Amino acid sequence: MLDQLKETIKKALPELDFVMGWGMGFDALHATPLFMYEPEDVDKLVWGPLNIQNLATYLPSLKGKKVGIVVKGCDSRSVAELLQEKLVNRDEVVIFGMACQGTVNLTKVREIVGNTGLVEDVKYENGKLTVTADGQPHEMLLKDVRADKCGYCRFPNAVISDHFVGEERAPQVEEDTFEDLKEFESQSFEERRDFWMKEMDRCLRCYACRNACPLCVCRDHCVAQSRDPHWVSQQDGIRDKFMFQIIHATHMAGRCTNCGECERACPVDIPVLLLKRSFNRAVKNTFAYDAGLDAGATPPLLAFKVNEDNIKEKEW
Ligand code: SF4
Ligand code: SF4
Ligand code: SF4
C-alpha cells in the first residue's frame, strides 16, 4: 500500500507545490509531518499507526498554493469541514485518501516501554506492535495502545479523496454511542467540578490544544489573548484556563470532527476531548449532524433555520 501511495504521489507531484504526509522523526517511535517537494522526498514517506498528526491543520495557512495532503479517515473529515466552511479552496487541494488501521497513543506506548530514551525500531504486523529500545523488544497489541478515538472509529476510510489508495477497511463501530462519556457523567456534579478544577490547575496555558486543531482558525484574534474584547485575563488562574477551554469547545460545536488533535497535542495529557465530545453529542442529538462528512453541507450552527427539524420550537 505504501509503494502504491508513493507512486500515486510521484505522478501527481509535478502539478503541485508540494504534498504533505509523514516521515520518520527523531526516533523510530515518532513520525513527523513530511513536506514532499521532489520525488526523492516521497521516498521518505511512512505509513502506519505512528502517523498520528492531522496534517489538515496546515491547510488554512496554505491558501493560494496547490498542495497535496495524505489523509486518514478522521483527517479527511477535517478537510471536508474546512471545505464546507470555505477555509480551503477545493481546486487548491489534492487529497490522497487512505484506509486507516488505527493510530497509537504515545503515552500508552511509553507506559509499556518505560523511560528508555530513544527508540531504535518499531515493527507493526497483524495488529501487533514491537517497539525496541535499549536493545530490548517490547511487544504490545495495537488495540491496547491505540488512541481512544480509534476504539469508536466509524470512518477509517477517507470520506473525501481525489486518489484513494489501497483497500477499504471496516469501521470499528456502526454508530458512536458516546460510551466514553458515561463513566465521567455517572459522577456527581461536585466530583465532575473537582475533576476539572484539578485538570485545569495542571494546564500550562501553552495553547498546543488550540494550535493543533484544524478548525480553530481565529489565530491572532483568539479570545484567549485578545485585549479587545477582553474575555479571558492573562492571569494563570483555573477560572481563566477553564473559561478558555469552554470557549474553544463552544467554537467547535457542530464543527469538531473528533480528530482528537487537541488532546493528543497537550503536553500534560489533559483530557480536553471530553468537553468536545459532549458538545458533539449535543449537536448530534439536536441536529442529527456529524461534522465533516459532506463537503457541500453547512454546519448547523453556521446556518439559521426558522424552525429546526429536531427542536420544533413552533410546536411549543
Ligand atoms: S479515528 Fe479512525 S481514521 Fe482516525 S486514526 Fe483512529 S482509526 Fe484511524
Ligand atoms: S476540537 Fe479537538 S477533536 Fe475537535 S477538530 Fe479540533 S482538534 Fe479535532
Ligand atoms: S495543550 Fe494542555 S496544557 Fe496546553 S493550553 Fe491546552 S489544555 Fe492547557
Side-chain angles (χ1 to χ4, degrees):
M1 200 160 64
L2 179 59
D3 286 343
Q4 205 185 332
L5 176 62
K6 286 181 182 171
E7 204 182 302
T8 312
I9 294 175
K10 280 182 183 171
K11 269 195 202 139
L13 200 53
E15 306 295 320
L16 299 169
D17 285 307
F18 57 87
V19 178
M20 297 182 282
W22 301 265
M24 184 160 142
F26 64 88
D27 75 358
L29 188 59
H30 295 85
T32 191
L34 174 73
F35 294 79
M36 296 167 271
Y37 293 86
E38 308 291 341
E40 306 84 84
D41 300 328
V42 183
D43 294 327
K44 296 179 196 150
L45 190 67
V46 296
W47 173 256
L50 301 178
N51 295 8
I52 55 180
Q53 298 93 352
N54 182 353
L55 307 172
T57 305
Y58 292 110
L59 284 179
S61 60
L62 294 172
K63 261 195 178 164
K65 294 192 186 303
K66 180 136 185 172
V67 296
I69 180 169
V70 185
V71 291
K72 315 181 281 288
C74 52
D75 308 339
S76 73
R77 289 182 63 190
S78 306
V79 178
E81 185 66 31
L82 288 168
L83 292 168
Q84 280 179 248
E85 298 184 27
K86 304 197 178 8
L87 293 161
V88 167
N89 297 325
R90 185 68 186 95
D91 56 0
E92 289 180 352
V93 59
V94 173
I95 306 162
F96 300 88
M98 299 287 281
C100 175
Q101 70 282 61
T103 50
V104 299
N105 175 327
L106 291 175
T107 304
K108 291 183 188 173
V109 174
R110 274 291 174 201
E111 274 164 16
I112 294 173
V113 174
N115 229 354
T116 50
L118 295 187
V119 165
E120 292 130 34
D121 188 40
V122 178
K123 284 208 167 41
Y124 172 65
E125 231 171 12
N126 302 328
K128 207 193 301 166
L129 214 60
T130 308
V131 178
T132 306
D134 286 344
Q136 181 75 35
H138 302 264
E139 272 191 8
M140 58 202 86
L141 295 174
L142 176 60
K143 74 175 177 48
D144 293 337
V145 293
R146 70 186 169 190
D148 292 345
K149 64 176 177 173
C150 304
Y152 49 81
C153 176
R154 281 178 298 155
F155 305 101
N157 309 303
V159 298
I160 179 172
S161 58
D162 298 295
H163 305 276
F164 188 87
V165 179
E167 307 261 311
E168 294 204 347
R169 281 177 181 265
Q172 284 293 326
V173 293
E174 290 302 325
E175 201 46 57
D176 183 358
T177 52
F178 296 92
E179 283 299 313
D180 50 315
L181 298 184
K182 287 197 177 137
E183 194 185 332
F184 177 72
E185 289 175 350
S186 66
Q187 301 175 80
S188 68
F189 169 77
E190 288 73 21
E191 285 169 323
R192 285 178 282 147
R193 182 196 56 202
D194 292 350
F195 170 84
W196 279 117
M197 292 304 112
K198 267 198 197 125
E199 291 298 319
M200 285 298 112
D201 200 20
R202 296 196 298 119
C203 172
L204 306 168
R205 210 165 175 176
C206 66
Y207 300 129
C209 50
R210 175 196 67 185
N211 296 351
C213 175
L215 277 313
C216 203
V217 290
C218 301
R219 309 288 173 195
D220 290 348
H221 305 282
C222 176
V223 289
Q225 286 148 314
S226 159
R227 295 290 197 276
D228 183 19
H230 197 184
W231 288 85
V232 182
S233 90
Q234 298 308 303
Q235 288 170 17
D236 198 28
I238 293 173
R239 273 170 44 154
D240 286 292
K241 292 188 279 194
F242 200 36
M243 177 76 170
F244 161 66
Q245 287 299 342
I246 293 288
I247 293 174
H248 184 194
T250 316
H251 282 185
M252 290 301 127
R255 305 170 62 229
C256 169
T257 53
N258 202 46
C259 71
E261 281 294 88
C262 45
E263 186 162 305
R264 199 259 320 154
C266 178
V268 288
D269 289 326
I270 295 178
V272 288
L273 191 55
L274 194 58
L275 284 174
K276 277 72 173 216
R277 293 273 295 154
S278 119
F279 276 82
N280 283 353
R281 182 181 53 188
V283 169
K284 173 104 179 158
N285 290 346
T286 312
F287 301 103
Y289 178 83
D290 282 303
L293 294 186
D294 176 0
T298 305
L301 298 183
L302 297 186
F304 173 75
K305 278 188 187 171
V306 175
N307 195 13
E308 286 294 345
D309 298 339
N310 293 338
I311 297 180
K312 304 193 190 308
E313 58 267 46
K314 289 205 171 156
E315 292 173 22
W316 291 358

